[in-house]
Amino acid sequence: AAAPPREKTRQERTARRHQGAKGMEIAIIGAGACGLAFAEVFRRRGVGTVRVLEAHCAVGGTWSLSRPDSALYEGLRTNLPKELMAFSTRQFDTSRPSFVRSADVESYLLNFAESNGLMPVINLSSPVTHVRPAPLDERKWAVSWTHDGKSTTEEFDAVVVANGHFNKPLVPGNLENQLPRWNGTWMHSKAYRRPVPFAGQTVLVVGAKSSGADIARELDGVAAEVHVADTDCPLDPSYP
């Protein structure tokens, strides 16, 4: 009797998938950490032709302080050590502390893109406006973007959406409708940059997660009073 067919190894199955993907054209939306990681892996493994579309004029995504809609404040440090945040193929500058500043992360991502030869495939200042099934072949995607006032549409075999989810401020419940009725000054944490403008003021920070705790700590000693409101604030909070 004939021997049963040999089951392919994981490496053989992966190689076969890569072989089938070599001719693909892939669009990646966003040149932040996620988009750059996808681009580097696709290029290193020879998976098709890659084009990265980035709305901003520089790589870095949410870590780019120069973005007009940046959510970063000047004193921001990472809440994870750089040893955990680094890509497997490139480490952070070992001279930097474990919890680095946002500028260190932005520099790291730029160096990652440059050292891996990704810059030539990144279209900067190219916000994507539409992604829809291609009109003549629904197995493909028609991706439209603008650059210098000119609109371009090209078809791709696959699209990676890596534009992040920290761009639009979230104001809970009906607070957004009630706040304009108040005569005081209010802002979302996305608009916060530094503690100096709050000198001598009484400040209420709504929310005590990463950003709220960071901002409250920065305001302490600058504002006259700092109050923190959160659904699960500890009775005796302590900040490092």
Side-chain angles (χ1 to χ4, degrees), residues 162-233:
N163 63 334
H165 57 277
F166 293 119
N167 189 53
K168 186 177 180 180
L170 174 63
V171 179
N174 62 353
L175 190 60
E176 187 172 17
N177 296 326
Q178 294 178 0
L179 282 171
R181 304 175 188 173
W182 181 51
N183 292 327
T185 301
W186 71 278
M187 67 169 62
H188 191 275
S189 61
K190 182 178 180 180
Y192 173 82
R193 289 294 176 268
R194 61 190 69 86
V196 174
F198 300 91
Q201 299 185 24
T202 299
V203 181
L204 171 65
V205 179
V206 180
K209 300 303 187 289
S210 298
S211 296
D214 256 2
I215 292 171
R217 186 179 65 249
E218 286 198 353
L219 293 173
D220 184 32
V222 177
E225 296 180 18
V226 180
H227 302 266
V228 180
D230 191 86
T231 54
D232 56 359
C233 271

Side-chain angles (χ1 to χ4, degrees), residues 38-108:
F38 269 103
E40 189 275 332
V41 169
F42 287 156
R43 283 172 59 82
R44 174 160 45 89
R45 297 189 177 184
V47 181
T49 302
V50 175
R51 183 193 296 271
V52 182
L53 300 167
E54 168 57 46
H56 187 43
C57 63
V59 303
T62 194
W63 292 103
S64 179
L65 189 58
S66 63
R67 292 173 66 101
D69 60 346
S70 172
L72 302 177
Y73 36 97
E74 292 179 359
L76 177 67
R77 289 184 181 272
T78 60
N79 59 358
L80 288 174
K82 71 179 190 300
E83 292 80 7
L84 293 180
M85 293 183 64
F87 296 128
S88 60
T89 57
R90 185 177 183 85
Q91 299 304 307
F92 275 84
D93 181 352
T94 56
S95 68
R96 307 304 298 163
S98 283
F99 295 91
V100 296
R101 294 187 176 275
S102 58
D104 296 317
V105 182
E106 182 179 20
S107 177
Y108 169 83

